[in-house]
Amino acid sequence: MDYDSLFDTQLDALKADGNYRVFADLERQKGSFPRAVNHAGGTPREVTVWCSNDYLGMGQNAGVIRAMTQTAESWGTGAGGTRNISGTSTRHLALESELADLHGKDAALMFTSGYVSNWAALSTLGARLPGAVIFSDAGNHASMIEGVRHSRAPKVIWKHNDWRDLDAKLAAAGRVPKIVAFESVYSMDGDICPMREIVEVCEAHGALMYLDEVHAVGMYGARGGGISERAGLADRIHVIEGTLGKAFGGMGGYITGSAALCDFIRSFASGFIFTTALPPAIAAAATASIQHLKTSAIERERQRRQVAKVRAALDRAGIPHMANDSHIIPVMIGDPVKCRMVSEMLMDEWGIYVQPINYPTVPKGTERLRITPSPLHGDADIDRLVCALESLWQRCALSRAVA
C-alpha cells in the first residue's frame, strides 16, 4: 500500500480548493513588535504583522520578559514532567492564585493550551456528571466541540448567540444535569455574546455555565477579567476558561471555578493528569503579565483607539469589514483563492502579513482576512495597511459588499 500517495491525493485536493495552509517563516524580535523578519525566499526582510493574537503586545513587555528569563536562570527550562510526577512548583501555584483572583473564583487549574483546557474540562464534565446533557452554541470553537464529542454525553446545539433558542431547548430537556458551553468573544466574526440573557436563562433552568473567555481575557474589564468582569457577571458563572497565549502574551490555558470543581477536573481529566506541566519560566511570565494588566489600562485604551482608527479608515476606503463590538476586524473576501492571493500580495508587495482565513476555520463563502490592531501599531502603519488593501481590491476586482 502506497500510503504517501493517499496523503498526497487529499493534499492536492486541499490545494486545488485554495484551503491548503502555508506557514509564514517569521521571526519576532524583542522590542520591535509588530515588526517581524520574514525569512521566505532566503532573503530576510522586515514585515508588519497585522494578525497576531498577542493582542496587547505583552509578549514584548520588559517586565514579562524579565520574569521569564530570571526564572529560567534560577529554575532551568522545563517542568520535568507532569505535576503529579515532578511536583507542583511555586510558580504554578502563584499563577493559579493570580488567575483565581482575576475572575473572582476560589481556584484555578492550568493546562498547556486553551485548546487542551477546553477539551479536557468539557469532556470530563460531560462524561462524569451522571445523565448530563451539553448545550453548545453553534459558533463554539473546535476545542469545545472536541471536548463535547469526547465526553460522549448527549449534546444539543443551540443557535448562535440566541438565548431564546437556548431557553426553549433547556426547557425541553427536562430534569437532567445541564451544561451550557458558550464563548464571550467569537474569534472569527468578533461578535460578543448576549451574556446577561444567557446567564439568566441558565439560572432559570439550573444549568452549569461554561464560559470560554480566551479572546477577552486581558482585553475587557477594569482588570482584564474579560466580558464577564465588564458585565459584572463573573460571580454567577460556574466555569470561566481562558488562555495565557493571546492578550497575556505567553502560552497555556486554564479554567477557574469553585475549589471542588477545579479539584474534580484535576483528579479526573486525562488532559491534565498525563501531560507535562508548563515550564516554571512560562508560568512566571504569565503571572507578571496578568499582574501588570490588572492595574494598567494603558494598553487596552490605546488598542481600542487603534481599532477604531482602522475601522474608520476601512470605511473611508470602502473596504468591506464585519461590524462588531470587539477588537477583531474581519475583512471579507468570500473566495478562498482570492483570499490567499491577497494575503500573498500584501506580504510580497507591501511587507504586510495577514494570514488568510479559509474553510474549515470559517464557512465556505465567508473567507476573510482577520485583522487585529495592537496598541503598538502606529497611525502610519494603519495608513499603509488601508492603502495596500484599497490598491489590491481594485486590482483583484473584489466585491465591496460584506459577505
Side-chain angles (χ1 to χ4, degrees), residues 26-50:
L26 297 180
E27 178 183 340
R28 285 162 56 104
Q29 297 182 317
K30 185 179 74 172
S32 64
F33 185 80
R35 311 282 181 260
V37 176
N38 177 22
H39 289 277
T43 303
R45 69 186 185 112
E46 186 178 84
V47 299
T48 302
V49 178
W50 274 100

Side-chain angles (χ1 to χ4, degrees), residues 53-56 58-59 64 99 102-103 217-219 223-225 243-251 254 285-286 289-291 293-294 300:
N53 282 345
D54 186 358
Y55 294 135
L56 299 177
M58 290 302 293
V64 173
L99 289 165
L102 177 66
H103 296 294
V217 290
M219 303 296 295
R223 302 194 310 155
T243 184
L244 306 170
K246 293 183 171 60
F248 293 129
M251 174 186 175
Y254 65 88
S289 183
I290 296 164
Q291 289 174 339
L293 290 175
K294 280 180 177 178
R300 288 188 284 273

Side-chain angles (χ1 to χ4, degrees), residues 34-342:
R35 311 282 181 260
V37 176
N38 177 22
H39 289 277
T43 303
R45 69 186 185 112
E46 186 178 84
V47 299
T48 302
V49 178
W50 274 100
C51 55
S52 175
N53 282 345
D54 186 358
Y55 294 135
L56 299 177
M58 290 302 293
Q60 304 285 307
N61 180 275
V64 173
I65 294 170
R66 186 165 54 251
M68 177 179 280
T69 55
Q70 289 178 349
T71 304
E73 288 287 347
S74 299
W75 294 59
T77 59
T82 68
R83 289 170 72 176
N84 181 56
I85 290 174
S86 296
T88 288
S89 79
T90 57
R91 296 295 186 268
H92 294 140
L93 296 176
L95 174 55
E96 287 174 342
S97 176
E98 204 68 53
L99 289 165
D101 175 76
L102 177 66
H103 296 294
K105 300 299 183 187
D106 295 333
L109 190 67
M110 290 185 328
F111 295 83
T112 50
S113 73
Y115 189 103
V116 174
S117 56
N118 270 335
W119 170 79
L122 276 170
S123 64
T124 302
L125 288 168
R128 300 196 69 92
L129 288 180
V133 177
I134 300 178
F135 295 78
S136 182
D137 184 286
N140 277 345
H141 188 263
S143 58
M144 303 176 80
I145 295 170
E146 189 64 23
V148 173
R149 181 185 297 121
H150 188 75
S151 76
R152 299 185 180 177
K155 68 178 179 182
V156 177
I157 308 300
W158 47 288
K159 295 176 184 177
H160 178 53
N161 279 345
D162 188 338
W163 58 270
R164 292 180 179 86
D165 186 52
L166 173 62
D167 186 29
K169 287 175 175 171
L170 287 171
R175 295 179 61 82
V176 297
K178 304 172 184 71
I179 302 168
V180 174
F182 62 107
E183 301 180 40
S184 57
V185 178
Y186 287 83
S187 63
M188 289 300 115
D189 288 354
D191 52 330
I192 297 175
C193 76
M195 191 175 294
R196 185 169 299 278
E197 289 85 352
I198 292 172
V199 167
E200 290 174 353
V201 165
C202 289
E203 289 177 338
H205 293 281
L208 185 149
M209 288 168 265
Y210 185 102
L211 171 64
D212 176 318
E213 287 259 43
V214 296
H215 291 278
V217 290
M219 303 296 295
Y220 303 94
R223 302 194 310 155
I227 300 297
S228 57
E229 181 194 23
R230 188 179 74 176
L233 296 168
D235 62 319
R236 297 166 65 179
I237 297 169
H238 301 94
V239 186
I240 297 178
E241 183 266 352
T243 184
L244 306 170
K246 293 183 171 60
F248 293 129
M251 174 186 175
Y254 65 88
I255 62 166
T256 63
S258 69
L261 185 144
C262 290
D263 195 22
F264 178 80
I265 301 299
R266 182 191 71 87
S267 299
F268 292 111
S270 62
F272 175 83
I273 296 169
F274 298 108
T275 193
T276 299
L278 284 179
I282 291 178
T287 303
S289 183
I290 296 164
Q291 289 174 339
H292 176 87
L293 290 175
K294 280 180 177 178
T295 59
S296 174
I298 295 172
E299 294 82 4
R300 288 188 284 273
E301 290 170 356
R302 176 165 172 79
Q303 197 264 357
R304 284 194 289 270
R305 287 199 298 271
Q306 299 310 90
V307 168
K309 289 178 182 178
V310 172
R311 287 191 181 279
L314 291 172
D315 286 339
R316 289 193 296 271
I319 304 298
H321 59 98
M322 190 175 291
N324 60 54
D325 294 323
S326 78
H327 57 284
I328 296 167
I329 305 177
V331 172
M332 308 306 293
I333 293 179
D335 178 275
V337 175
K338 287 185 177 181
C339 192
R340 178 160 299 283
M341 179 174 65
V342 170

Side-chain angles (χ1 to χ4, degrees), residues 314 317-321 332 389-391 393-394 398-402:
L314 291 172
I319 304 298
H321 59 98
M332 308 306 293
L389 287 172
E390 190 171 20
S391 170
W393 235 255
Q394 295 171 351
L398 295 171
S399 170
R400 293 185 179 268
V402 177

